[in-house]
Short mmCIF file of all heavy atoms in Angstrom, two decimals:
data_model
loop_
_atom_site.label_atom_id
_atom_site.label_comp_id
_atom_site.label_asym_id
_atom_site.label_seq_id
_atom_site.Cartn_x
_atom_site.Cartn_y
_atom_site.Cartn_z
N SER A 1 12.03 15.83 3.02
CA SER A 1 10.64 15.54 2.67
C SER A 1 9.85 16.81 2.40
O SER A 1 9.16 16.92 1.38
CB SER A 1 9.97 14.73 3.78
OG SER A 1 8.60 14.53 3.51
N VAL A 2 9.95 17.79 3.30
CA VAL A 2 9.16 19.02 3.09
C VAL A 2 9.68 19.80 1.89
O VAL A 2 8.91 20.47 1.20
CB VAL A 2 9.12 19.91 4.36
CG1 VAL A 2 8.41 19.22 5.50
CG2 VAL A 2 10.52 20.35 4.79
N ASN A 3 10.97 19.69 1.61
CA ASN A 3 11.51 20.35 0.42
C ASN A 3 10.98 19.68 -0.85
O ASN A 3 10.56 20.35 -1.80
CB ASN A 3 13.03 20.31 0.45
CG ASN A 3 13.64 20.80 -0.85
OD1 ASN A 3 14.12 20.01 -1.67
ND2 ASN A 3 13.63 22.10 -1.07
N GLU A 4 10.99 18.36 -0.88
CA GLU A 4 10.53 17.65 -2.08
C GLU A 4 9.04 17.82 -2.31
O GLU A 4 8.57 17.72 -3.46
CB GLU A 4 10.90 16.17 -1.97
CG GLU A 4 12.41 15.93 -2.10
CD GLU A 4 12.79 14.47 -1.92
OE1 GLU A 4 11.95 13.70 -1.40
OE2 GLU A 4 13.91 14.10 -2.31
N LYS A 5 8.29 18.07 -1.25
CA LYS A 5 6.86 18.33 -1.38
C LYS A 5 6.55 19.77 -1.78
O LYS A 5 5.38 20.14 -1.94
CB LYS A 5 6.14 17.99 -0.07
CG LYS A 5 6.12 16.50 0.26
CD LYS A 5 5.50 16.25 1.62
CE LYS A 5 5.52 14.76 1.98
NZ LYS A 5 5.01 14.53 3.35
N GLY A 6 7.60 20.58 -1.90
CA GLY A 6 7.40 21.97 -2.29
C GLY A 6 7.02 22.89 -1.16
O GLY A 6 6.60 24.03 -1.39
N VAL A 7 7.16 22.41 0.08
CA VAL A 7 6.77 23.21 1.24
C VAL A 7 7.85 24.23 1.61
O VAL A 7 7.54 25.31 2.12
CB VAL A 7 6.47 22.29 2.45
CG1 VAL A 7 6.18 23.10 3.71
CG2 VAL A 7 5.30 21.36 2.13
N ALA A 8 9.11 23.88 1.36
CA ALA A 8 10.19 24.71 1.87
C ALA A 8 11.34 24.82 0.88
O ALA A 8 11.73 23.83 0.25
CB ALA A 8 10.72 24.14 3.19
N THR A 9 11.88 26.03 0.74
CA THR A 9 13.16 26.28 0.09
C THR A 9 14.18 26.42 1.21
O THR A 9 13.97 27.19 2.15
CB THR A 9 13.10 27.56 -0.76
OG1 THR A 9 12.10 27.40 -1.76
CG2 THR A 9 14.44 27.87 -1.40
N ILE A 10 15.29 25.69 1.13
CA ILE A 10 16.21 25.59 2.26
C ILE A 10 17.63 25.94 1.85
O ILE A 10 18.12 25.47 0.82
CB ILE A 10 16.19 24.16 2.86
CG1 ILE A 10 14.78 23.78 3.32
CG2 ILE A 10 17.17 24.06 4.03
CD1 ILE A 10 14.63 22.31 3.68
N VAL A 11 18.29 26.76 2.66
CA VAL A 11 19.72 27.00 2.56
C VAL A 11 20.34 26.61 3.89
O VAL A 11 19.98 27.17 4.94
CB VAL A 11 20.04 28.47 2.23
CG1 VAL A 11 21.56 28.69 2.21
CG2 VAL A 11 19.45 28.86 0.88
N MET A 12 21.25 25.67 3.85
CA MET A 12 21.82 25.09 5.08
C MET A 12 23.35 25.20 5.06
O MET A 12 23.99 24.85 4.07
CB MET A 12 21.41 23.62 5.19
CG MET A 12 22.07 22.83 6.30
SD MET A 12 21.46 21.11 6.40
CE MET A 12 22.19 20.40 4.91
N VAL A 13 23.91 25.70 6.15
CA VAL A 13 25.35 25.63 6.35
C VAL A 13 25.65 24.38 7.17
O VAL A 13 24.99 24.13 8.19
CB VAL A 13 25.87 26.88 7.08
CG1 VAL A 13 27.21 26.61 7.74
CG2 VAL A 13 26.02 28.04 6.11
N THR A 14 26.61 23.60 6.71
CA THR A 14 26.98 22.40 7.46
C THR A 14 28.46 22.10 7.24
O THR A 14 29.02 22.39 6.18
CB THR A 14 26.13 21.19 7.04
OG1 THR A 14 26.53 20.05 7.81
CG2 THR A 14 26.25 20.88 5.56
N HIS A 15 29.09 21.51 8.25
CA HIS A 15 30.46 21.04 8.12
C HIS A 15 30.50 19.58 7.68
O HIS A 15 31.56 19.05 7.37
CB HIS A 15 31.19 21.16 9.47
CG HIS A 15 30.67 20.21 10.50
ND1 HIS A 15 29.56 20.50 11.28
CD2 HIS A 15 31.06 18.96 10.85
CE1 HIS A 15 29.31 19.46 12.08
NE2 HIS A 15 30.20 18.52 11.82
N ASP A 16 29.34 18.93 7.68
CA ASP A 16 29.26 17.48 7.58
C ASP A 16 28.83 17.03 6.18
O ASP A 16 27.76 17.42 5.70
CB ASP A 16 28.25 16.99 8.63
CG ASP A 16 28.03 15.49 8.57
OD1 ASP A 16 29.02 14.75 8.59
OD2 ASP A 16 26.87 15.07 8.50
N ALA A 17 29.64 16.22 5.54
CA ALA A 17 29.35 15.76 4.18
C ALA A 17 28.08 14.92 4.13
O ALA A 17 27.32 14.99 3.15
CB ALA A 17 30.53 14.95 3.64
N PHE A 18 27.82 14.13 5.15
CA PHE A 18 26.60 13.31 5.16
C PHE A 18 25.37 14.21 5.19
O PHE A 18 24.41 13.99 4.44
CB PHE A 18 26.61 12.37 6.35
CG PHE A 18 25.38 11.49 6.41
CD1 PHE A 18 25.20 10.45 5.51
CD2 PHE A 18 24.39 11.73 7.36
CE1 PHE A 18 24.06 9.66 5.56
CE2 PHE A 18 23.25 10.93 7.42
CZ PHE A 18 23.09 9.89 6.51
N SER A 19 25.38 15.23 6.04
CA SER A 19 24.26 16.17 6.07
C SER A 19 24.10 16.87 4.73
O SER A 19 22.99 17.01 4.21
CB SER A 19 24.48 17.22 7.17
OG SER A 19 24.51 16.61 8.45
N ALA A 20 25.21 17.30 4.15
CA ALA A 20 25.16 18.00 2.87
C ALA A 20 24.59 17.13 1.76
O ALA A 20 23.96 17.63 0.82
CB ALA A 20 26.56 18.48 2.49
N SER A 21 24.76 15.81 1.87
CA SER A 21 24.29 14.91 0.81
C SER A 21 22.78 14.84 0.72
O SER A 21 22.24 14.32 -0.26
CB SER A 21 24.86 13.50 1.02
OG SER A 21 24.27 12.86 2.15
N TYR A 22 22.06 15.38 1.71
CA TYR A 22 20.60 15.47 1.65
C TYR A 22 20.13 16.63 0.78
O TYR A 22 18.97 16.68 0.38
CB TYR A 22 20.02 15.61 3.05
CG TYR A 22 19.91 14.30 3.80
CD1 TYR A 22 21.01 13.75 4.44
CD2 TYR A 22 18.70 13.61 3.86
CE1 TYR A 22 20.91 12.55 5.12
CE2 TYR A 22 18.59 12.39 4.53
CZ TYR A 22 19.70 11.88 5.15
OH TYR A 22 19.60 10.67 5.81
N ALA A 23 21.02 17.58 0.51
CA ALA A 23 20.67 18.74 -0.30
C ALA A 23 20.63 18.36 -1.78
O ALA A 23 21.12 17.30 -2.19
CB ALA A 23 21.68 19.86 -0.07
N LYS A 24 20.05 19.24 -2.58
CA LYS A 24 20.05 19.04 -4.03
C LYS A 24 21.34 19.55 -4.66
O LYS A 24 21.79 19.03 -5.68
CB LYS A 24 18.85 19.75 -4.66
CG LYS A 24 17.50 19.16 -4.28
CD LYS A 24 16.35 20.00 -4.84
CE LYS A 24 14.99 19.40 -4.48
NZ LYS A 24 13.87 20.28 -4.90
N ASP A 25 21.89 20.60 -4.06
CA ASP A 25 23.13 21.18 -4.55
C ASP A 25 24.01 21.56 -3.36
O ASP A 25 23.52 22.03 -2.33
CB ASP A 25 22.87 22.44 -5.39
CG ASP A 25 22.08 22.15 -6.65
OD1 ASP A 25 22.69 21.70 -7.62
OD2 ASP A 25 20.86 22.37 -6.64
N VAL A 26 25.30 21.38 -3.54
CA VAL A 26 26.28 21.75 -2.52
C VAL A 26 27.24 22.76 -3.11
O VAL A 26 27.82 22.53 -4.18
CB VAL A 26 27.06 20.52 -2.00
CG1 VAL A 26 28.18 20.95 -1.06
CG2 VAL A 26 26.13 19.53 -1.30
N TYR A 27 27.38 23.89 -2.44
CA TYR A 27 28.35 24.91 -2.83
C TYR A 27 29.48 24.90 -1.81
O TYR A 27 29.23 24.93 -0.60
CB TYR A 27 27.70 26.29 -2.86
CG TYR A 27 26.72 26.48 -3.99
CD1 TYR A 27 25.40 26.04 -3.89
CD2 TYR A 27 27.11 27.11 -5.17
CE1 TYR A 27 24.50 26.22 -4.94
CE2 TYR A 27 26.23 27.30 -6.22
CZ TYR A 27 24.92 26.85 -6.09
OH TYR A 27 24.04 27.02 -7.13
#
């Protein structure tokens, strides 16, 4: 929500595909 509102740019490390699916891009 805060990312889509333009409040935050986020880089997240995760092992979990479900968590990663909330991102806009997965590397």
Side-chain angles (χ1 to χ4, degrees):
S1 175
V2 296
N3 172 256
E4 289 177 344
K5 291 175 182 176
V7 175
T9 299
I10 301 170
V11 177
M12 172 177 71
V13 159
T14 180
H15 68 276
D16 177 52
F18 180 72
S19 297
S21 71
Y22 279 81
K24 293 175 180 175
D25 296 280
V26 173
Y27 289 83

